[in-house]
């Protein structure tokens, strides 16, 4: 009779760990240096995990489902959550501390992304707006209108100088930062500029 044998753990096995969120997971993000993973749950929690060990580090509460999570680009330690409670939260994975809750949308926030430069976050909502935020000052820099239905997602260009939003109205819109009032603060500093 054949007998099943369990193999001994090998280096790197933790990389294949199952992260048990405990509710349906809507989105997942990993930082650029592969130190942390964040899961977005339908239970109103985002969970920060240590990637190498699979250890749960912090549970972040929202009042409704967490729809999206994203890390800042270029190896940063901050991540953002987007929730059905009409807010987004910015956290620091290194310190496991909250930085700010972004309030202003009047309907669920469905997606959020960091700007490529500076302390910026763009959120999109079912209230048919995108908002550009400065998370250090805790202020909304610009409210962007133009879609005729709920907004679903936001993504930045590889250069970080523009982003695209998608909507239930059947369109995607390009938003160059240099054409948004206050948006230039989130563009890279040009060589020789003062």
């Amino acid at each position: 009779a054949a007998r099943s044998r369990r193999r001994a753990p090998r280096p790197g096995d933790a990389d294949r760990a199952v992260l048990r969120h405990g509710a349906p997971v809507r989105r997942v993000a990993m930082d650029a240096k592969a130190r942390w993973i964040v899961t977005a749950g339908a239970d109103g929690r985002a969970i920060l995990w240590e990637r190498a060990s699979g250890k749960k580090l912090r549970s972040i509460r929202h009042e409704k489902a967490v729809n999206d999570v994203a890390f800042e680009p270029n190896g940063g330690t901050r991540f953002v959550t987007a929730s059905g409670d009409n807010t987004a939260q910015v956290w620091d994975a290194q310190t496991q501390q909250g930085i700010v809750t972004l309030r202003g949308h009047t309907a669920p926030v469905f997606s959020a992304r960091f700007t490529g430069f500076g302390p910026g976050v763009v959120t999109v909502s079912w209230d048919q707006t995108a908002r550009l935020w400065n998370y250090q000052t805790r202020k909304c820099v610009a409210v962007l209108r133009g879609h005729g239905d709920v907004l679903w997602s936001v993504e930045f260009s590889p250069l970080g100088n523009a982003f695209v939003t998608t909507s239930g109205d059947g369109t995607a819109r390009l938003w160059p930062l240099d054409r948004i009032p206050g948006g230039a603060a989130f563009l890279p500093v040009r060589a020789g500029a003062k």
Side-chain angles (χ1 to χ4, degrees):
R3 207 168 57 154
S4 74
R5 290 179 36 185
R6 298 188 103 198
R7 95 176 151 74
R10 295 182 188 154
D13 279 356
D15 288 345
R16 291 184 287 282
V18 176
L19 307 176
R20 300 202 184 277
H21 187 101
V25 175
R26 293 186 166 188
R27 293 289 298 223
V28 64
M30 185 184 312
D31 74 291
K33 294 182 179 177
R35 297 164 290 188
W36 304 286
I37 294 170
V38 178
T39 53
D43 60 353
R45 292 182 306 146
I47 299 178
L48 175 66
W49 309 84
E50 182 179 65
R51 190 214 40 95
S53 68
K55 178 183 174 187
K56 185 187 297 184
L57 299 174
R58 178 78 187 222
S59 182
I60 292 103
R61 296 286 315 157
H62 276 275
E63 292 176 19
K64 294 189 178 176
V66 180
N67 298 316
D68 195 16
V69 289
F71 272 94
E72 63 184 337
N74 307 320
T77 63
R78 291 178 185 90
F79 64 92
V80 62
T81 62
S83 174
D85 65 9
N86 306 354
T87 70
Q89 294 181 21
V90 177
W91 285 74
D92 189 301
Q94 184 76 47
T95 65
Q96 299 175 33
Q97 297 298 309
I99 295 171
V100 64
T101 298
L102 305 173
R103 300 179 195 280
H105 284 290
T106 60
V109 178
F110 217 75
S111 188
R113 293 293 181 272
F114 285 93
T115 57
F117 305 92
V121 169
V122 174
T123 55
V124 297
S125 170
W126 288 1
D127 66 8
Q128 301 182 21
T129 69
R131 291 176 185 251
L132 174 61
W133 305 86
N134 181 319
Y135 64 80
Q136 284 182 340
T137 65
R138 302 171 181 244
K139 303 258 188 238
C140 179
V141 175
V143 178
L144 307 169
R145 293 178 172 84
H147 285 290
D149 202 346
V150 299
L151 276 68
W152 290 105
S153 66
V154 57
E155 289 296 336
F156 268 85
S157 69
L159 296 177
N161 61 346
F163 58 92
V164 178
T165 55
T166 65
S167 172
D169 66 8
T171 66
R173 286 186 171 262
L174 177 66
W175 304 91
L177 284 170
D178 63 358
R179 294 188 186 164
I180 297 170
F186 306 103
L187 289 171
V189 177
R190 294 188 184 131
K194 292 184 180 182

